[in-house]
Amino acid sequence: MSFFYGRLFAARPRLRSLFPPAMGGQHDRFFHALSRIAWSQDNPEELARHLEGLGRGHRKYGVLREHYPDVEEAVVATLRTFAADVWTAEAETAWRTAYRSAAEAMAGAAERDAADAPPWWVAEVVRHDRRAFDLAVLTLRPERPLPFAPGQHVSVQSARWPRVWRPYSIANAPRRDGTVSLHVRAVPAGWVSGALVRHTGPGDSVLLGPPEGAMTLDPDSDRPLLLIGGGTGLAPVKALAEQAVASAPDRDVLLVVAARTEDGLYDLPGLRLLESAHARLRVVPVVSREPAPGAVAGRVPDVLPRIVDGAAGHDAYVAGPAPLVRGAVSALQRLGVPLTRVHHDLLTAGD
């Protein structure tokens, strides 16, 4: 990846301005995306949906159709250098064909999106609720309507760090006043997360990228819902719970909130309020490291059999740290939930 970006910027120095100041995370994201393009050639429909989402999302960086050929040349030069012992004319043709197909899907989606949507939304911070030293809930009011589905996420740019975007899940179903809430935990050396938690307040503005993600409710299903959120992964499943109780009040919804300690249940009062207003919603806090009043003790994969009746008949949605998601998905499989009804966003989180 270092060779690739060095080759790209040496050939086209003007492209450097499209990228963030620190490139380490960008290296990982591009490698993940390129690998997915290579390995998804046998699933063209899924790959097309993925690429179209990436193309729309890349509008916020200022990426244009004219930039894609420069990237193609840098990709091929990198592959030719590092795979010199196995590189052939056929291999180069295959890679160029795959890349051009991907580039066309991305550029076409971006151009269609530009007809009726901005590349980003300016949003005012109307509330900044500090829940812990490293965690805040931000309520934002976009300058124009932001169309999204519960379960989706948006990329956020702080004025403190231009050209650096980080994804955060929207923590609510659509509201009449158009506001959206984000749950943000400041991670060590996190440029955007640290700025949003520690250096942002009411009246400040941020930029929001277009909503993305497919972890949304199946409109054709009326099966009971099992929603599992760990840490700030609570945000998307809370949004799904709000949507479910508003659109189908007779549908059973079990919301499992996972944390290591009682302090990690930072949004429990609001969840209890939501639960008290909807008879078919049940909120179950699960704490893994220490006892907590009113919470189930243990790890989510271990306690699921005790707190879910008839799990196999549910639609399941899981969000949070990768180990929790993987463990919960495995536990749900053991309980008989078909993988087609277990939804999470691990696959696209790295893009």
Side-chain angles (χ1 to χ4, degrees), residues 2 14 22 45 70-71 127 133 143 174 176 183-184 186 189 208 210 214 257 313 331:
S2 295
R14 60 189 173 83
E45 292 183 1
D70 296 330
V71 176
R127 184 176 178 184
F133 77 95
E143 64 174 349
R176 290 184 178 181
H183 295 185
V184 182
L208 304 178
V257 189

Side-chain angles (χ1 to χ4, degrees), residues 249-266:
D250 294 329
R251 189 177 192 181
D252 287 326
V253 180
L254 173 60
L255 173 55
V256 178
V257 189
R260 294 176 179 174
T261 66
E262 185 179 4
D263 290 343
L265 301 173
Y266 64 89

Side-chain angles (χ1 to χ4, degrees), residues 45-275:
E45 292 183 1
E46 190 277 336
L47 179 60
R49 288 193 297 270
H50 172 65
L51 292 170
E52 289 169 2
L54 283 183
R56 290 189 294 268
H58 276 54
R59 291 182 60 213
K60 64 181 179 290
Y61 297 103
V63 175
L64 302 173
R65 180 182 287 272
E66 65 195 56
H67 298 143
Y68 285 96
D70 296 330
V71 176
E72 176 184 345
E73 294 307 318
V75 167
V76 172
T78 303
L79 292 166
R80 187 186 296 123
T81 299
F82 286 87
D85 55 337
V86 294
W87 194 251
T88 63
E90 290 80 8
E92 180 163 332
T93 297
W95 271 96
R96 287 188 182 276
T97 299
Y99 176 86
R100 289 172 184 174
S101 176
E104 178 57 37
M106 293 175 66
E111 290 165 356
R112 291 189 297 273
D113 191 60
D116 54 15
W120 60 73
W121 283 254
V122 178
E124 179 189 357
V125 179
V126 296
R127 184 176 178 184
H128 187 279
D129 186 3
R130 192 80 171 262
R131 301 287 176 89
F133 77 95
D134 63 345
L135 190 145
V137 175
L138 282 69
T139 301
L140 312 174
R141 180 180 291 113
E143 64 174 349
R144 64 181 75 185
L146 177 71
F148 71 93
Q152 290 190 306
H153 58 269
V154 291
S155 294
V156 181
Q157 177 183 282
S158 163
R160 196 177 183 91
W161 296 111
R163 302 194 310 280
V164 181
W165 297 80
R166 293 292 181 267
Y168 297 97
S169 293
I170 297 173
N172 58 277
R175 297 167 175 158
R176 290 184 178 181
D177 65 1
T179 61
V180 296
S181 292
L182 308 178
H183 295 185
V184 182
R185 186 180 299 279
V187 298
W191 292 17
V192 176
S193 64
L196 293 177
V197 171
R198 302 189 183 99
H199 305 289
T200 302
D204 292 338
S205 293
V206 298
L207 297 184
L208 304 178
E212 300 177 79
M215 200 181 74
T216 55
L217 292 185
D218 179 354
D220 298 322
S221 173
D222 59 359
R223 287 181 288 267
L225 283 176
L226 172 57
L227 310 174
I228 303 172
T232 54
L234 168 64
V237 295
K238 181 182 181 182
L240 293 173
E242 288 187 2
Q243 179 190 15
V245 297
S247 61
D250 294 329
R251 189 177 192 181
D252 287 326
V253 180
L254 173 60
L255 173 55
V256 178
V257 189
R260 294 176 179 174
T261 66
E262 185 179 4
D263 290 343
L265 301 173
Y266 64 89
D267 205 38
L268 191 56
L271 296 175
R272 291 299 190 201
L273 188 63
L274 184 66
E275 181 184 41

Side-chain angles (χ1 to χ4, degrees), residues 294-316:
V296 177
R299 297 170 58 253
V300 167
D302 300 329
V303 304
L304 278 178
R306 288 189 277 136
I307 62 178
V308 186
D309 293 326
H314 288 64
D315 288 345

